[in-house]
Amino acid sequence: MMRIYNTLTQRKEEFHPLESGRVRMYVCGMTVYDYCHLGHARVLVAFDVITRYLRHRGYDVHYVRNITDIDDKILRRAEENGEPFSELTDRMIRAMHEDEARLGVLSPDEEPRATGHIEEIVAMIHRLIASGHAYEADNGDVYFAVESFPDYGKLSKKKLEDLVAGARVDVREAKRSPADFALWKAAPEGEVSWPSPWGDGRPGWHIECSAMSTKCLGDTFDIHGGGPDLLFPHHENEIAQSECATGHPFARTWMHAGAIRVDKEKMSKSLGNFFTIREILEKHPAEVVRYFLVSSHYRSQVDYSEDNLVEAGRSLTRLYHALRGVTPAKSDSVPETGHDRRFAEAMDDDFNTAGAMAVLHAVANEINQHRRDGEDLEARQSAAVLVRLGAVLGLMQQDPEAFFQADTGGELSAADIEAMIQARADARKARDFAEADRIRDELADKGIILDDSREGTTWRRG
């Protein structure tokens, strides 16, 4: 039985979806005003693995991940760039899709945009006003009345009185209570806006997720996920406005990925330790970055450093080394093994990818032992298991030679390396061993490792 840690109850619970065999999951996506950073990669990869494993377990998963394509940051950036906001968001969405594809992240089943659901947002706000949970302020904004929802704070465990006591109200706001939050923002003349019963404006941040998730998945669904910074106030506010608007419980299980730290410090632009996915992928292969993110439990804090990326590369290399020169048997011809069961036990325990990764390395060791013993069939069967389980984590799907020879932006292209290997072979044939050694050393200095065998010479980037 699968057990998932529920942020709402703060404990692991047996997972029973609302509909047998079907999982409905919503994850808060990106606000697309800039390139995705490492924290986004953490969330993208974490919920990609969760989706892959649920499907591996036989569930029909309907995975929805939204896009916030209208908010203050987007409008400010578009103004700075001197471009329409929609051009900025379209460009950033394309970049996001490129980044996630390189990281092996599967596309969600639905990817709704806030600007495409204004009608649903306005309808939900209208219901909240009609039921006394929201009000139109003197400045044209519409606010949710937090005190109208007695369960406010049940996700974050924050007390309303403490929030009210510590709140600071912007002079431009017209709230009745400092804890109230905007559902609709009146737009100044000339600013991007949509018509509504309360005047031209645009939606607040929180309401868009409530409107889109219920539109795509229903009033109540199985899993709601996101990054650690969204727990409060975003997810807390989603619960309040959704349950008041529908009269039903919102998400049954809440999941939050862990934070990213860089060299043991919080990642932030002010500290100069802020990295986009693109910057990292210029220096490290995408699968190595994915391995690094997957090797830690999704709820744990991840410490990003060059040393940790290098170690992730070494670990992934060991797995691919086990597959090198072995043709995996057809997966459907290899029955479930003890490795499959141990992998499932780890993943059933709140998606324990660290434990699952240990199983992959055990399988790799088994392949190496079969090869040493000359057991070709057994090696091929174990290789099939490694590829099969690796796929659940989004790993080990490349041809080993493609992995080892991937161009990571070094001095030498694959063609350059092959030419030097041929020159070395010619030197050895002419018994010019000094020249052969010189070529090998030159390649080693540039991070190219040669492996000689009876079948010939193979190479890999170190």
Side-chain angles (χ1 to χ4, degrees):
M1 177 59 64
M2 287 186 62
R3 299 173 70 241
I4 301 177
Y5 182 86
N6 188 350
T7 309
L8 182 65
T9 60
Q10 297 187 336
R11 66 175 182 267
K12 291 181 185 178
E13 299 174 338
E14 288 189 359
F15 180 63
H16 299 283
L18 283 163
E19 298 177 58
S20 179
R22 187 164 188 259
V23 176
R24 289 176 286 168
M25 180 169 73
Y26 183 91
V27 174
C28 289
M30 313 307 150
T31 300
V32 286
Y33 70 98
D34 205 344
Y35 292 112
C36 292
H37 56 67
L38 187 60
H40 295 141
R42 170 71 161 150
V43 175
L44 288 168
V45 171
F47 285 97
D48 180 64
V49 170
I50 288 165
T51 302
R52 285 171 182 263
Y53 184 66
L54 289 170
R55 288 175 176 155
H56 175 74
R57 285 281 257 103
Y59 288 107
D60 174 16
V61 180
H62 190 168
Y63 176 25
V64 179
R65 191 185 68 219
N66 79 296
I67 293 175
T68 296
D69 61 346
I70 182 67
D71 87 333
D72 292 340
K73 291 179 181 177
I74 291 171
L75 295 178
R76 281 197 299 269
R77 181 62 57 84
E79 185 176 1
E80 291 168 5
N81 293 350
E83 64 180 328
F85 86 96
S86 58
E87 287 188 10
L88 169 66
T89 57
D90 285 348
R91 188 171 68 257
M92 290 299 103
I93 290 168
R94 287 195 300 272
M96 177 185 72
H97 288 160
E98 291 168 2
D99 290 343
E100 65 187 33
R102 292 182 67 188
L103 289 171
V105 174
L106 303 175
S107 299
D109 297 297
E110 290 190 73
E111 196 172 49
R113 301 188 188 188
T115 57
H117 292 77
I118 300 299
E119 182 179 340
E120 290 84 0
I121 290 168
V122 168
M124 182 169 276
I125 295 172
H126 191 273
R127 288 199 300 273
L128 289 168
I129 293 174
S131 58
H133 293 290
Y135 58 92
E136 184 179 359
D138 295 338
N139 63 354
D141 292 348
V142 178
Y143 291 97
F144 182 84
V146 168
E147 291 181 357
S148 73
F149 183 58
D151 285 342
Y152 192 82
K154 64 181 178 180
L155 179 68
S156 63
K157 314 309 176 193
K158 294 180 183 293
K159 295 182 178 179
L160 181 57
E161 55 266 31
D162 295 336
L163 295 172
V164 171
R168 297 172 62 183
V169 179
D170 191 306
V171 295
R172 294 168 296 181
E173 296 178 328
K175 301 177 180 180
R176 294 176 184 172
S177 168
D180 294 350
F181 57 88
L183 300 174
W184 188 260
K185 297 181 178 181
E189 187 174 349
E191 191 173 272
V192 176
S193 64
W194 288 264
S196 83
W198 321 286
D200 291 350
R202 59 183 178 79
W205 175 34
H206 314 298
I207 192 67
E208 67 178 63
C209 282
S210 289
M212 287 188 285
S213 62
T214 54
K215 168 72 180 302
C216 296
L217 299 174
D219 293 348
T220 306
F221 50 91
D222 299 297
I223 297 173
H224 194 313
D229 55 324
L230 300 183
L231 196 156
F232 185 88
H234 185 54
H235 288 164
E236 192 73 71
N237 291 350
E238 275 190 73
I239 292 173
Q241 64 200 8
S242 298
E243 297 192 356
C244 288
T246 69
H248 297 108
F250 189 36
R252 301 177 79 201
T253 300
W254 286 83
M255 302 178 68
H256 293 88
I260 291 280
R261 289 169 63 86
V262 178
D263 291 321
K264 297 183 170 58
E265 290 187 300
K266 181 180 178 181
M267 186 177 72
S268 71
K269 288 184 177 179
S270 62
L271 292 174
N273 64 358
F274 182 91
F275 300 105
T276 66
I277 296 173
R278 302 193 153 204
E279 289 170 332
I280 295 168
L281 295 184
E282 286 177 1
K283 297 188 293 182
H284 300 279
E287 191 171 359
V288 170
V289 177
R290 184 180 177 102
Y291 182 100
F292 164 72
L293 294 171
V294 172
S295 59
S296 297
H297 190 278
Y298 79 90
R299 284 192 290 115
S300 68
Q301 185 171 271
V302 173
D303 188 34
Y304 174 87
S305 70
E306 285 298 308
D307 287 345
N308 288 344
L309 258 294
V310 169
E311 181 54 40
R314 291 193 186 110
S315 296
L316 184 58
T317 295
R318 286 195 291 272
L319 294 178
Y320 270 111
H321 255 305
L323 290 178
R324 200 172 199 182
V326 178
T327 302
K330 291 184 178 180
S331 183
D332 57 7
S333 71
V334 181
E336 183 182 277
T337 68
H339 295 302
D340 290 274
R341 290 187 289 274
R342 284 187 289 275
F343 183 91
E345 287 170 4
M347 292 296 285
D348 279 349
D349 183 14
D350 194 32
F351 307 99
N352 178 8
T353 52
M357 203 74 82
V359 175
L360 297 191
H361 282 279
V363 180
N365 291 339
E366 184 177 270
I367 296 169
N368 293 331
Q369 185 61 54
H370 287 317
R371 295 171 74 175
R372 286 191 293 269
D373 295 341
E375 298 169 345
D376 179 66
L377 176 59
E378 290 80 356
R380 294 181 59 233
Q381 290 175 332
S382 294
V385 175
L386 181 55
V387 172
R388 178 167 70 203
L389 297 181
V392 181
L393 303 179
L395 300 169
M396 309 303 300
Q397 302 307 293
Q398 292 189 69
D399 178 270
E401 295 308 315
F403 170 79
F404 287 121
Q405 299 177 11
D407 187 355
T408 54
E411 295 179 48
L412 300 176
S413 68
D416 294 333
I417 296 165
E418 293 288 356
M420 292 178 71
I421 290 173
Q422 184 59 54
R424 175 174 175 261
D426 293 342
R428 294 174 73 183
K429 188 175 182 179
R431 303 187 68 78
D432 187 352
F433 298 114
E435 174 63 7
D437 289 344
R438 185 198 67 77
I439 294 173
R440 185 185 189 103
D441 291 343
E442 182 181 349
L443 287 168
D445 288 342
K446 294 179 179 179
I448 307 303
I449 300 167
L450 303 185
D451 296 310
D452 294 319
S453 69
R454 286 176 296 181
E455 289 77 28
T457 300
T458 58
W459 61 273
R460 57 188 170 90
R461 299 183 190 272

